[in-house]
Each structure stands twice: as C-alpha cells, then as structure tokens.
Amino acid sequence: MAKRALISITKWLATIVLLAAIVMAVRFFCMESFRVSTDSMEVALHKGDYILVDKLPLKDNPGRNRVVLFTSPLLQDTVSKPLFLSRCIGMPGDTIRIGNDGYRVNGKLIPYSPRALNTYFVTKAAQVEVLATQKKLNIPLRDLREESFGISFSMASFDEYQLREELSEEANVRFVKKPVESYELIVPRKGRAYRLDAAALTACREAIQAEAGDKAVFRDGKLFLDGREASFFFFNQDYYWMLSDNTNEAVDSRHLGFIPRDHVIGNAWFCWYSNDRQRIFKPVN
C-alpha cells in the first residue's frame, strides 16, 4: 500500500516538474507576457497594457514596421539592461531616410502611422478656437506647453486630420506641425563592409565598441583599430533601427544607436489586458 502511494506521489511530482519545465521553456523560447511601462508607443500601446511577445527566432522576428521589445545595447547598461518598445524601421542593409513625410526605406516611402504622435504649435490668435474644437471632438492633447507666441502640444496624425476638418481657414494657417529632423543612415549587416562617415560613426559608436573592444579608439571624429585609421568596419551580427511612435516620450535608436540582433527579444503580438476594454485581445499594429 505504502509502495503504491509512493509511486503515485512520484508520478504526480514528475508531472508537476514536467509541466513547470514546459511552461519555463515556452516563456524562455516561445512567448512571454510583459507590462508596458512607458508611453513610448502611444497610441498603438498604452502605459499599463499587458502584451504577449512572440520570441520564436523566425525570419520575420523582428519584422519590418512591427513593434519590437528589445534591451539596451549601451555598454553602461550591461549589468541591468532596460527594456524598450519601438517600431522596427530599418532592417540589416537598409538605407533609411527620416523626413517630414515619413520614412524612406531603400527609396520607398513608408508614411508615418496615423497613430504616430507629432508636435504642433498654435499661435495665440487661434488658440481659443483650436482648444475649443479639440475639446468638442474629445481629442487628447499631450505635453501641452505655454510658449512665447502660443502653445505647443502632441497629438496623433489622425487626430490632426479630424481637427483641421473642423477649424476655420484662418485657424488652420496658425496651426503648424513642427518639422521632423531629417537624416539618412545605412543599417549594418553581418559580414558586409560598412563605410564610416561622420553620421555612421555617431550611430555605430557603441556597436563598434562592443564588437571591437579595446582595439577601437575614437579620436577627432575618426575610428582607429589597433592604432590604424579605419574607413570601413565589418560587423559580426545584424543590426536594426528602431523608432517609437511617440517620439517626444521615447528612448529609441535616436538615443541608443543601432540595435544588435542579440538584444532583440521579439515582436509584440497582442494585448491581452488593458484598462481600455476595447483593446483587450487585439493584435499590436
């Protein structure tokens, strides 16, 4: 009797251990839940949302224009690596140009998402009409600031469209979108010669330092490897350029540089819990 009880307990313990191992394997290799802790991806994701992240190492993970979870590649963050959510704009080998109209990837225009937040300025002469119309349409204004000649705030592109449809012609003229700083970069690709100009050195500095270690020395805007000036660099892994939808509140590749493949956790798949019930069990776009 005691022997049968012992066998039964052993089987139950083995089953529990096996199930625990399966759960841990799924979390480590396949899928894991994360809580969004910042406003960096508004309005695609909100602070406090819970999401499932697809961690399977497939060809499209990370995917172009997908929301991606990754860790900081900065050398000072090696002990405790912060997590970031951004949209994958540049894939390995891509030439990307950021401008007012959107992203040009290898010459092809990808317009900004209607959910992407932009900064706007309204002069004092149109301030009352703009704020009254915004309130009437129930459009949220983020980062509202008083400035010398009016106010500035952030809102989504789709909200801008709705607001302009309601404003008078005079108010529309005084309602201005602040320009986006333009720049062009090539995303490093594993094993390919990467030409180093001033912009590339700024964006790649941390990545080169991480791969080359003490061999890399930066001096007078140039890279020296083992004491010799280098005009090209061969990277050991693929890299990505990540930008957040809420550029005013986000830390992304503009601050972190290129994101190496081994720092990518996976694609944000869907939101399984949110304070906004309409967002629950919706895919992350």
Side-chain angles (χ1 to χ4, degrees):
M1 216 44 197
K3 186 175 180 181
R4 287 183 180 180
L6 181 61
I7 292 174
S8 180
I9 292 172
T10 303
K11 286 182 178 179
W12 274 108
L13 288 174
T15 302
I16 292 171
V17 170
L18 179 61
L19 288 174
I22 291 173
V23 170
M24 291 178 65
V26 168
R27 288 190 62 188
F28 189 81
F29 295 107
C30 303
M31 195 177 302
E32 191 169 354
S33 175
F34 289 89
R35 181 181 180 272
V36 179
S37 59
T38 71
D39 299 323
S40 66
M41 285 307 299
E42 284 196 359
V43 289
L45 288 169
H46 291 275
K47 185 176 180 178
D49 286 354
Y50 285 84
I51 60 173
L52 282 181
V53 174
D54 175 10
K55 301 169 70 173
L56 288 172
L58 301 177
K59 187 177 180 180
D60 61 345
N61 196 347
R64 189 188 301 280
N65 211 34
R66 294 287 302 277
V67 178
V68 177
L69 183 72
F70 58 94
T71 58
S72 170
L74 299 184
L75 297 178
Q76 62 263 33
D77 293 333
T78 52
V79 176
S80 178
K81 297 180 180 178
L83 291 172
F84 298 97
L85 272 173
S86 293
R87 200 173 294 278
C88 183
I89 302 303
M91 303 287 282
D94 281 350
T95 298
I96 58 173
R97 181 173 181 80
I98 310 298
N100 283 312
D101 53 351
Y103 318 108
R104 289 194 178 273
V105 180
N106 302 326
K108 181 181 178 181
L109 177 64
I110 301 176
Y112 289 116
S113 166
R115 296 180 173 184
L117 296 181
N118 304 296
T119 303
Y120 299 88
F121 177 77
V122 177
T123 64
K124 288 183 178 179
Q127 185 173 319
V128 173
E129 182 181 345
V130 169
L131 291 179
T133 308
Q134 165 266 327
K135 187 175 182 180
K136 169 187 162 187
L137 297 174
N138 197 29
I139 294 173
L141 297 185
R142 300 171 176 87
D143 308 316
L144 184 64
R145 295 186 181 94
E146 293 283 344
E147 300 198 14
S148 301
F149 301 100
I151 57 172
S152 67
F153 51 81
S154 298
M155 66 166 53
S157 300
F158 181 70
D159 292 333
E160 176 200 0
Y161 168 77
Q162 294 183 88
L163 189 56
R164 288 193 183 279
E165 287 291 296
E166 296 287 329
L167 293 177
S168 65
E169 184 176 345
E170 182 179 352
N172 264 304
V173 172
R174 300 176 183 276
F175 174 32
V176 182
K177 178 180 176 181
K178 290 190 175 181
V180 175
E181 182 182 355
S182 298
Y183 56 88
E184 182 174 298
L185 292 167
I186 297 176
V187 185
R189 188 171 182 176
K190 179 180 177 180
R192 287 196 179 181
Y194 189 84
R195 188 176 185 85
L196 300 173
D197 56 18
L201 274 177
T202 300
C204 295
R205 185 184 181 100
E206 289 278 341
I208 293 173
Q209 197 78 66
E211 290 205 6
D214 294 337
K215 294 180 180 180
V217 175
F218 296 87
R219 187 170 64 246
D220 301 326
K222 298 177 181 179
L223 170 66
F224 294 84
L225 293 173
D226 289 328
R228 296 182 179 181
E229 183 180 345
S231 56
F232 292 88
F233 190 83
F234 288 85
F235 287 94
N236 295 325
Q237 61 175 313
D238 287 330
Y239 288 78
Y240 304 85
W241 189 255
M242 309 285 192
L243 291 181
S244 299
D245 288 357
N246 185 358
T247 55
N248 295 328
E249 297 293 328
V251 175
D252 50 32
S253 283
R254 294 167 303 152
H255 315 87
L256 304 172
F258 294 111
I259 309 302
R261 182 65 185 86
D262 62 3
H263 283 252
V264 173
I265 296 174
N267 291 328
W269 182 25
F270 76 94
C271 176
W272 66 266
Y273 179 78
S274 175
N275 291 328
D276 181 357
R277 293 185 178 182
Q278 294 183 348
R279 301 170 56 78
I280 298 177
F281 297 118
K282 296 291 179 66
V284 178
N285 297 315

